[in-house]
Amino acid sequence: MKIVFLGSGNVATHLACTVQEAGHKVLQIFNHRLNGAVELAGKLNCAFTDKINEITDQADVYIISVKDDAIGIIAQQLNLKDKVVVHTAGSVDMNVLLPATPNVGVLYPLQTFSKDRALDFQSVPLFIEGANDITSETIKRLAQSIAHFVTVSNSEQRRILHLSAVFACNFVNHLYDLSNGLLKEHNLSFDALKPLILETAQKVQQLHPHNAQTGPARRNDQQVMTKHLQLLSNNQPLQFIYQLLSDSIVKSFQ
Amino acid sequence: MKIVFLGSGNVATHLACTVQEAGHKVLQIFNHRLNGAVELAGKLNCAFTDKINEITDQADVYIISVKDDAIGIIAQQLNLKDKVVVHTAGSVDMNVLLPATPNVGVLYPLQTFSKDRALDFQSVPLFIEGANDITSETIKRLAQSIAHFVTVSNSEQRRILHLSAVFACNFVNHLYDLSNGLLKEHNLSFDALKPLILETAQKVQQLHPHNAQTGPARRNDQQVMTKHLQLLSNNQPLQFIYQLLSDSIVKSFQ
């Protein structure tokens, strides 16, 4: 398939490189900041533009991968009649694309992307949706050409997937960051936690997360929890997070 | 070395099997519930008892691996003169062992252990402490015979390590569990999150957790966060956790 990308952020970068490696042809990168478009187009050896009216009409699929609130704004400026237009966002309804074409859809990769980190895209679960059969079929073919796990899901299911990913990824990473701050404050190295962090994630690949739970709150060990809260007495926000999450664990085992 | 274990929980089980595999001899398992002692002794092919006055005096090192508040209680009932007695807890002072012997210490493995999950103990960071040089040397030799990363640290540092591990492991696992609950409520499978969970943990093996942060709070995307809070309107505890952690992320990037 011939593809145009609108956006050049983390998701666009990983996805564009992956589709090109899978044998599709990326014709052009559009980005409202030109240097973003230039950078990604350089990786793909394709055309680029920062002007929406210069977007080529020669592609089969247009993939919009920009900030959530910009998706609808861009779609309103597109006129792509019989083309397929998809976005890649977890929490945006498919229908915001309808000003551009009736052939709208979604290709949502449930993963965390950073530009400076390689990733095996084949193992990224893709959740897809299409407004009509032909569009769905096109998106499905594209998705299956780049990843193993492709699931059809509607916009409501996708919102829940995205929300649960915020808990399991974004909030989790922030907890890593908070631990790092604690260790740093006491001249201890974050390296000490790395095997633990990895094992915690690996455990729930097999065990149910409820059965994998360990720690003072799991044992309702009030003595340790009180000591920990005392250790955090100079850091009220952290104390508050400790209390809230410990209470939540204790409750989940009552 | 000849070793006695007091306790037969997750840590005792992993540690006892590991020291035996490393060529040490586990002489006996003590546990206040006999069936726990029997089970672990069966794995090691050694003696067992549930009576504290039946603990053998033939070992070099006694490893107490029981609930935090039971460590001192057990130590008060031991009289092990010139032997080395250690505990394995993150948040318990070494000195609670002094009623048993002057040769007290700590061997704290910074990892999450579940009985039904195998683990490469060599990669577990061990934090050790000893009350005097000979004791420290004995603990160090034992520790280095079973793991690659052995670090001397005092009781205060160990408490901080344990506290940060609660954030990076126990709270993290609870977030996995909360995501699982959300998905289940909407008939979606936790399997969808597994690659994301693994990648989130793998990312911070290389990237600094602050630089690895992604998601709506990282972008201060109020529109998405408001939608997510609405989706959680029937679940106030979850809504509260969402708000608190999102605020904490936003603040950490200001």
Side-chain angles (χ1 to χ4, degrees):
Chain A
M1 298 184 200
K2 288 175 281 182
I3 299 172
V4 166
F5 275 85
L6 296 89
S8 63
N10 293 340
V11 176
T13 299
H14 277 276
L15 196 53
C17 293
T18 301
V19 297
Q20 185 125 311
E21 277 162 31
H24 305 286
K25 177 73 194 142
V26 178
L27 297 186
Q28 190 184 36
I29 306 295
F30 160 83
N31 197 59
H32 73 287
R33 286 183 308 102
L34 190 64
N35 55 352
V38 170
E39 191 188 335
L40 181 51
K43 284 183 186 165
L44 301 161
N45 197 19
C46 72
F48 56 85
T49 181
D50 62 350
K51 296 188 181 58
I52 209 150
N53 60 358
E54 284 181 2
I55 292 173
T56 173
D57 61 358
Q58 298 298 305
D60 306 302
V61 180
Y62 295 75
I63 300 180
I64 306 182
S65 198
V66 298
K67 276 197 170 188
D68 286 13
D69 48 3
I71 296 170
I73 298 169
I74 288 182
Q76 283 167 17
Q77 302 170 64
L78 295 173
N79 181 7
L80 291 163
K81 292 162 271 180
D82 54 339
K83 309 294 185 173
V84 169
V85 177
V86 304
H87 72 66
T88 60
S91 290
V92 177
D93 202 280
M94 173 174 72
N95 294 336
V96 305
L97 299 174
L98 284 173
T101 166
N103 304 325
V104 298
V106 179
L107 190 158
Y108 171 53
L110 188 51
Q111 188 51 282
T112 171
F113 297 97
S114 294
K115 271 187 194 169
D116 44 356
R117 187 172 154 79
L119 188 90
D120 172 24
F121 209 95
Q122 285 285 344
S123 69
V124 176
L126 298 182
F127 293 87
I128 59 168
E129 186 179 6
N132 54 55
D133 286 353
I134 298 176
T135 306
S136 295
E137 200 43 52
T138 303
I139 299 169
K140 196 175 189 175
R141 266 193 298 130
L142 177 61
Q144 287 178 336
S145 73
I146 56 172
H148 287 310
F149 307 104
V150 177
T151 311
V152 176
S153 72
N154 60 34
S155 290
E156 201 205 322
Q157 290 171 318
R158 195 172 61 251
R159 266 193 294 272
I160 297 295
L161 287 162
H162 185 216
L163 175 58
S164 62
V166 169
F167 279 85
C169 165
N170 304 148
F171 291 167
V172 159
N173 185 79
H174 184 57
L175 291 176
Y176 299 156
D177 200 16
L178 293 175
S179 325
N180 177 56
L182 258 174
L183 291 169
K184 210 174 160 188
E185 199 186 317
H186 293 83
N187 294 314
L188 292 161
S189 166
F190 182 67
D191 287 346
L193 288 183
K194 288 179 178 176
L196 176 66
I197 283 172
L198 208 51
E199 171 66 9
T200 305
Q202 278 165 346
K203 262 170 98 167
V204 296
Q205 306 294 311
Q206 277 121 35
L207 301 183
H208 188 289
H210 200 68
N211 299 333
Q213 189 67 52
T214 56
R218 166 67 185 93
R219 304 187 300 272
N220 200 358
D221 189 333
Q222 292 294 337
Q223 207 179 322
V224 172
M225 289 191 277
T226 304
K227 271 193 221 171
H228 281 169
L229 288 169
Q230 282 164 357
L231 277 174
L232 295 171
S233 56
N234 67 339
N235 192 331
Q236 246 189 337
L238 224 55
Q239 212 179 30
F240 205 46
I241 291 172
Y242 188 98
Q243 185 77 65
L244 187 68
L245 290 175
S246 293
D247 288 351
S248 180
I249 293 172
V250 170
K251 248 177 243 162
S252 80
F253 281 93
Q254 269 167 356
Chain B
M1 298 183 200
K2 287 176 281 185
I3 299 172
V4 167
F5 274 86
L6 296 88
S8 63
N10 293 343
V11 176
T13 299
H14 277 274
L15 196 53
C17 294
T18 301
V19 298
Q20 186 125 309
E21 276 163 31
H24 305 286
K25 177 71 193 146
V26 178
L27 296 186
Q28 190 184 37
I29 306 295
F30 160 83
N31 198 59
H32 74 287
R33 287 183 307 102
L34 190 65
N35 55 353
V38 170
E39 192 188 334
L40 180 50
K43 284 184 187 163
L44 301 161
N45 196 22
C46 73
F48 54 85
T49 181
D50 62 349
K51 296 188 181 60
I52 209 151
N53 59 359
E54 285 180 2
I55 291 172
T56 176
D57 61 359
Q58 298 299 305
D60 306 302
V61 179
Y62 294 76
I63 299 179
I64 306 182
S65 198
V66 298
K67 274 195 171 189
D68 286 13
D69 48 3
I71 296 170
I73 298 169
I74 287 182
Q76 284 167 16
Q77 302 170 65
L78 295 172
N79 182 7
L80 291 164
K81 291 163 273 183
D82 54 339
K83 309 294 187 175
V84 169
V85 177
V86 304
H87 74 64
T88 60
S91 290
V92 177
D93 202 280
M94 174 175 72
N95 295 334
V96 304
L97 300 173
L98 284 173
T101 168
N103 304 323
V104 298
V106 178
L107 191 157
Y108 171 52
L110 188 51
Q111 189 48 283
T112 170
F113 298 97
S114 294
K115 270 188 195 168
D116 44 355
R117 185 172 155 78
L119 188 89
D120 172 24
F121 209 96
Q122 286 284 345
S123 69
V124 177
L126 298 182
F127 293 86
I128 60 168
E129 185 178 8
N132 53 57
D133 286 353
I134 298 176
T135 305
S136 296
E137 199 44 51
T138 304
I139 299 169
K140 196 175 189 175
R141 264 193 301 130
L142 177 62
Q144 287 177 336
S145 73
I146 56 173
H148 288 308
F149 306 103
V150 177
T151 311
V152 176
S153 72
N154 60 33
S155 290
E156 201 206 321
Q157 290 171 318
R158 196 173 60 253
R159 266 194 294 274
I160 297 295
L161 286 163
H162 185 215
L163 175 58
S164 63
V166 169
F167 280 86
C169 165
N170 304 148
F171 291 166
V172 159
N173 185 79
H174 185 56
L175 291 176
Y176 299 157
D177 200 16
L178 294 176
S179 325
N180 177 56
L182 258 175
L183 291 170
K184 211 174 159 186
E185 199 186 316
H186 293 84
N187 294 315
L188 293 160
S189 166
F190 182 67
D191 287 346
L193 288 183
K194 287 179 179 176
L196 176 66
I197 284 172
L198 209 51
E199 171 67 8
T200 305
Q202 280 166 343
K203 261 169 98 166
V204 295
Q205 306 294 310
Q206 278 122 36
L207 300 184
H208 188 291
H210 200 68
N211 299 333
Q213 189 67 53
T214 56
R218 166 68 186 91
R219 303 188 301 271
N220 201 357
D221 189 332
Q222 292 294 337
Q223 207 179 322
V224 171
M225 289 191 277
T226 303
K227 271 193 221 172
H228 282 168
L229 288 170
Q230 283 164 356
L231 277 174
L232 294 171
S233 58
N234 67 339
N235 192 332
Q236 245 188 339
L238 225 56
Q239 211 179 29
F240 205 45
I241 291 172
Y242 188 97
Q243 185 77 64
L244 187 68
L245 290 175
S246 293
D247 287 352
S248 181
I249 294 171
V250 170
K251 248 178 242 162
S252 79
F253 281 93
Q254 268 166 357

